Amino acid sequence: LNQKIEILDELCVNQIAAGEVVERPSSVVKELIENAIDAGARKIEIIIERGGESYLQVKDDGYGMSSADLELAILPHATSKIKSIEDLKHLETLGFRGEALPSIAAVSKLSIISRQATEIGGHEIRVEGGKVVSFTEIGCPQGTTVTVKDLFYNTPARRKFLRSANTEAGLISDLVSRLALANPNISFSLRRSKNQLLYSPGKGNLRDTIAAVYGAETARQMLELSVEKRDLRISGYLSSPNLVRSSRNSLTFIVNGRVVRSQLLNQALRDGYHTLIPAKTYPFAVVVLTMPASNYDVNVHPAKLEIKFNNEKNLAFELTTAIRQTLLQTHPVRSTILEQDPYITLPESTLNGPKSQGASIDSQNLSLNICTANENKIPFLVSESADPSPVKTQGLFQELRALGQLFNMYLLCTDDKNLYVIDQHAAHERLRYDELTAQLKEQGLTSQMLLFPEVLELTPHEESILLENLEELQSLGFIIENYGARAYFLRAVPTGRNLREPGSLFREFIAEVLAKSRLPSSEKLLEEWIYMVACRTALKLTLD
Ligand SMILES: Nc1ncnc2c1ncn2[C@@H]1O[C@H](COP(=O)(O)OP(=O)(O)OP(=O)(O)O)[C@@H](O)[C@H]1O
Ligand SMILES: [Mg+2]
């Protein structure tokens, strides 16, 4: 074995470094847009082909680069944004490492065309796999246009990690949406081949940008957040507790113009909503934090996606409080509508299915038995008493006598020996599930027309997931019709006629089920839909 140490050549170093910065087409788009923002652009146009792997372009009207800078820009550690590490304490730009362009150049065929306002002509530099192949004068408008072709053409192992073109395009539109939300005064346009996926007006109004991304109706319903505490300003928009999603993807945090991912902020926001929204649902929010740059460190994540706050506890507390106050001021009471007759009968199957829950107290042995089901909705029982063999599942409920109801949520039953505490919603959900499955068996796969077609305004990401699964969904009985930019009519569903708000249920379905890493089979899709319908139509009583 040759163990002699050698220093890697520059190209190899850049290709390895690129792995950190450039994970997929959306990370390239992110770096290029951030450069455009740093260059003072007012208008940023992005074009992708398929998922951006073969072709993507970002064009800005920013201040451009001189020919000398253009040659330097693609070299590692070349940046105009900081001079020393001290500058990070008061950083006003998104970039600071001088790593993005050389990393992209190392793993693609790159062209940068740029012209500064003071120059008559511009220049184009072309780089392939890290090597400059041409440098020429060229006529062009002021600003910079970066075109990236054949991403990862020389690093096939990386290319293998890419997902389908639709998924990659979805990730790009999700990213552009968030960057547009962080920069309401910049107009963003994202096109995929000839389709306009996103357009934001760039007139400086965040609610207008939210409307461009999530639809006008959603934007109209959101609550304004605006709180100031010493050097911290918290602003943005929040969903009212009635407007929730089942995926946490709809939270955007912006710190001094930078879109960041943060567990801390996610949790703080959820804490603000605590008890106001149902478990397993997520609020929907764009939170804009403004604070001195010295209050956090940006140099902690290779793709600059996360930042580290100095005083995390205090920040979380302030955010939770601001959200709580805003929600309570505008929505003091949560209404519960009783959709069904609250009397139900419980057959034997109640405990043996998805999400069944219940508890029993053995009065002689003084032990508490809790019956529940696991996350995968596979029927099973857990006993918390010392010996699980007291727990009988078969025929359990047939021998029960109802004693009454507790907190409007639980049925209290007895078999004269044990006390059973049954979660009514879970039990009813199970009943509905059985009913729907039986109905499906009897009638086969059919489309059930909705009384009124439901209008769906989808985000670019949701749309790409929908389109990717359209055929499968149609074969199950969904009838979905495109009628405008990211707008669809939902006309029929496979089961569950007379659903309330089928549109929002269908959106949840898209987010939850279809966004899974591997595409579910059609039986699985159908099962999940029935499950969601059952959950939605089951009796729901809450302690308010
Ligand atoms: N669209 C653009 N308009 C004007 N100048 C640009 C543009 N893109 C890049 N540059 C110049 O090229 C330099 C290198 O860009 P690059 O993205 O590689 O590094 P950076 O932005 O300084 O830091 P980071 O690696 O954190 O993004 C920038 O510092 C900037 O001076
Ligand atoms: Mg940069």
Side-chain angles (χ1 to χ4, degrees), residues 31-44:
E31 293 296 341
L32 298 180
I33 294 180
E34 289 190 349
N35 281 345
I37 296 170
D38 284 347
R42 299 277 110 213
K43 196 170 143 195
I44 302 177

Side-chain angles (χ1 to χ4, degrees), residues 31 34-35 38 81 94-97 100-101 304:
E31 293 296 341
E34 289 190 349
N35 281 345
D38 284 347
K81 299 174 190 177
L94 298 169
F96 55 85
R97 309 157 306 177
L101 290 181
K304 297 177 289 187

Side-chain angles (χ1 to χ4, degrees), residues 437-508:
T437 317
Q439 184 189 329
L440 194 81
K441 260 201 196 124
E442 205 174 285
Q443 299 171 355
L445 259 185
T446 51
S447 274
Q448 309 217 8
M449 296 306 276
L450 301 176
L451 234 42
F452 303 102
E454 189 82 5
V455 174
L456 296 170
E457 279 175 340
L458 299 183
T459 66
H461 192 195
E462 285 168 340
E463 181 182 46
S464 65
I465 297 171
L466 173 74
L467 294 179
E468 201 165 338
N469 293 278
L470 197 60
E471 269 180 37
E472 197 82 87
L473 292 171
Q474 279 164 344
S475 73
L476 293 177
F478 288 96
I479 300 184
I480 302 150
E481 197 177 286
N482 180 261
Y483 83 94
R486 285 190 271 122
Y488 291 81
F489 279 132
L490 176 66
R491 292 192 179 280
V493 295
T495 184
R497 207 194 332 241
N498 302 339
L499 274 179
R500 281 182 79 227
E501 299 178 17
S504 75
L505 186 67
F506 183 68
R507 188 195 282 273
E508 265 174 45

Side-chain angles (χ1 to χ4, degrees), residues 335-340 500 540:
S335 59
T336 311
I337 301 161
L338 259 187
E339 288 170 33
Q340 327 254 340
R500 281 182 79 227
K540 194 176 261 162

Side-chain angles (χ1 to χ4, degrees), residues 347-381:
E348 168 191 340
S349 68
T350 309
L351 256 188
N352 302 324
K355 265 204 167 169
S356 295
Q357 284 178 331
S360 72
I361 299 166
D362 185 324
S363 54
Q364 279 162 5
N365 302 321
L366 289 180
S367 63
L368 175 70
N369 299 330
I370 298 174
C371 307
T372 175
N374 76 354
E375 285 298 307
N376 301 330
K377 297 159 216 140
I378 295 165
F380 89 122
L381 282 168

